[in-house]
Amino acid sequence: MASTPEPRSDGASAAPVPVQPNAPHAVAGQRVIALVDDDRNILTTVSIALQTEGFATRVYNDGAAALKALVENPPDLAVCDIKMPRMDGLELLQRLRERSDLPVIFLTSKDDEADEALGLSLGADDYIAKPFSQRLLIARIRAILRRSDIVRQEPGHGEDAPTGPLPEPIRRGRLVMDPARHHVEWDGLPVALTVTEFLILETLALRPGVVRTRNQLLDAAYQDDVFVDDRTIDSHIKRLRRKFRAVDPGFAAIETLYGAGYSFAET
């Protein structure tokens, strides 16, 4: 079992919790979850809960220290608090998204709706409000990891890894999506998407011109009865458009039918 930090009783600020190099306690096929939070009690209790469920954990109580490790030695998923000193979770995610599509779940305060929306717009895959149940957090971690496996179609992820022939690339006009490699191109230029963004776009692109409701897109991107507000889809659509417009300012393939949903226009 990976070591976890002990709470300090003197109230002094602690140095960043170091990464467990190369997850030494992980075994073959074991998924690694990074926890980033300045609350050592949360780091301790959540880490123990995850280890009990079969995960290996790495813990950090400093966003700046976590960023370097998440990029250089990425886990399978990161759970990040938003409010942290030095580098908060929003800045951490923004800088991480410049270099990585690592799945990220945000922990937010109950009333921080603005932070939740901003986190989703920056590319978070999900969020959970504090105080939260460990059971809910673990359910969402498993759901996102399964979605990640479905998209990537890569071996070596244990018993739940998909098997069988790899899916063929999806070609819709200037769009090419390769589910086997989690690779997306527009006009031959790569566009980096998170797992959730990929699944939403794939659902739209599979049937061009067909309007998909927010609930249908939620069902495609979020499985296992995990509750997510439908405004989450709006945030992901905005980020998808922003990413494609970064390579093509005239991108308009994702269309909105107000009051109904979204569709993909093959161009």
Side-chain angles (χ1 to χ4, degrees):
M1 179 179 291
S3 60
T4 54
E6 294 296 332
R8 292 175 64 98
S9 58
D10 57 7
S13 59
V17 180
V19 66
Q20 303 292 327
N22 300 317
H25 298 285
V27 298
Q30 190 175 26
R31 313 308 289 268
V32 180
I33 309 300
L35 305 174
V36 188
D37 199 309
D38 62 330
D39 187 326
R40 285 178 169 255
N41 288 326
I42 288 179
L43 287 177
T44 301
T45 57
V46 174
S47 183
I48 291 173
L50 288 171
Q51 291 165 11
T52 301
E53 292 294 320
F55 295 100
T57 60
R58 303 175 191 165
V59 295
Y60 311 87
N61 61 5
D62 180 276
L67 176 63
K68 184 174 186 294
L70 294 178
V71 171
E72 295 182 355
N73 187 21
D76 292 286
L77 181 145
V79 178
C80 299
D81 187 27
I82 286 186
K83 297 187 181 301
M84 294 184 292
R86 293 187 59 195
M87 180 187 293
D88 66 18
L90 294 172
E91 182 181 355
L92 170 61
L93 178 63
Q94 185 174 27
R95 296 177 63 177
L96 180 65
R97 281 291 171 259
E98 294 172 356
R99 290 172 276 182
S100 171
D101 61 358
L102 174 74
V104 173
I105 296 176
F106 263 150
L107 300 180
T108 72
S109 298
K110 187 174 182 179
D111 297 325
D112 287 343
E113 293 185 0
D115 285 344
E116 292 170 1
L118 180 56
L120 291 170
S121 71
L122 291 173
D125 290 87
D126 211 338
Y127 63 84
I128 297 178
K130 296 179 180 179
F132 58 89
S133 76
Q134 293 179 5
R135 180 179 179 182
L136 174 62
L137 175 60
I138 290 169
R140 294 201 180 180
I141 288 173
R142 292 192 185 280
I144 290 177
L145 289 176
R146 277 193 288 271
R147 284 159 34 210
S148 179
D149 287 346
I150 290 170
V151 170
R152 296 178 188 278
Q153 293 282 293
E154 294 176 351
H157 289 302
E159 296 179 358
D160 293 332
T163 59
L166 298 179
E168 293 293 324
I170 300 166
R171 302 180 187 277
R172 299 289 185 269
R174 291 182 282 171
L175 174 71
V176 178
M177 302 185 70
D178 187 348
R181 296 187 299 130
H182 188 210
H183 182 75
V184 177
E185 291 184 357
W186 180 261
D187 266 348
L189 298 174
V191 182
L193 302 183
T194 66
V195 171
T196 302
E197 292 164 353
F198 191 101
L199 288 171
I200 290 171
L201 180 61
E202 181 183 38
T203 301
L204 295 172
L206 283 173
R207 300 188 65 186
V210 175
V211 176
R212 300 287 192 174
T213 67
R214 289 175 177 81
N215 284 337
Q216 288 173 327
L217 295 175
L218 284 172
D219 288 343
Y222 293 90
Q223 302 172 8
D224 304 309
D225 297 323
V226 175
F227 173 77
V228 182
D229 193 287
D230 61 5
R231 68 189 174 91
T232 299
I233 292 298
D234 297 334
S235 294
H236 286 306
I237 291 292
K238 289 178 183 178
R239 183 162 178 84
L240 276 167
R241 286 171 171 156
R242 188 179 304 120
K243 287 186 173 184
F244 278 92
R245 286 170 182 164
V247 300
D248 175 11
F251 175 83
I254 299 177
E255 299 182 337
T256 301
L257 183 60
Y258 290 98
Y262 298 96
S263 66
F264 181 84
E266 188 170 350
T267 59

